[in-house]
Amino acid sequence: MQRNLLTSLRPLIRCSQVLTPLYATPRLFQTSSLLQAQKKSGKLSPKIAKLQRKYQENNGKPVFLKGGPMDVILYRLTWVLAIIGILGDVWLWLGYIIYN
């Protein structure tokens, strides 16, 4: 009975190993298929090499803005929504303190 339970849970255990806790040792964020391709050929595909050059280029930009104009739009939108949320919270608390 216990052996059958372990064999049925094995795929779930394998999937859960991908989600490592924060205190675990850092891992490279590469898929297994990419690792297998690297081992077989000994080199990266041209597409992956191009992306690595793009993101590792030292041009003074943070990595979260190196993706292009869409990254800049999402970054600024995130800041605007965060500021609106903070101001709304302050407005709510001040209204509660002043009027009660």
Side-chain angles (χ1 to χ4, degrees):
M1 179 68 177
Q2 185 178 5
R3 185 179 194 125
N4 291 338
L5 178 64
L6 288 176
T7 56
S8 64
L9 291 177
R10 188 169 291 151
L12 295 175
I13 293 170
R14 234 181 272 134
C15 291
S16 68
Q17 289 174 350
V18 173
L19 304 172
T20 58
L22 292 175
Y23 57 84
T25 57
R27 295 173 39 181
L28 294 175
F29 292 104
Q30 293 181 338
T31 62
S32 60
S33 60
L34 178 61
L35 288 173
Q36 289 173 358
Q38 284 177 330
K39 287 179 184 176
K40 286 182 184 175
S41 67
K43 61 179 182 176
L44 292 174
S45 69
K47 183 178 180 181
I48 300 296
K50 180 181 174 186
L51 285 173
Q52 279 187 342
R53 280 193 304 273
K54 177 182 176 182
Y55 284 100
Q56 291 177 353
E57 181 182 337
N58 190 8
N59 57 3
K61 288 184 183 178
V63 72
F64 51 87
L65 294 178
K66 287 187 178 184
M70 193 61 183
D71 281 352
V72 175
I73 291 170
L74 289 173
Y75 176 72
R76 291 181 180 166
L77 179 66
T78 302
W79 269 104
V80 167
L81 292 175
I83 290 171
I84 288 172
I86 291 170
L87 291 176
D89 195 37
V90 169
W91 181 267
L92 179 74
W93 279 102
L94 285 178
Y96 181 75
I97 291 170
I98 293 171
Y99 294 116
N100 282 338

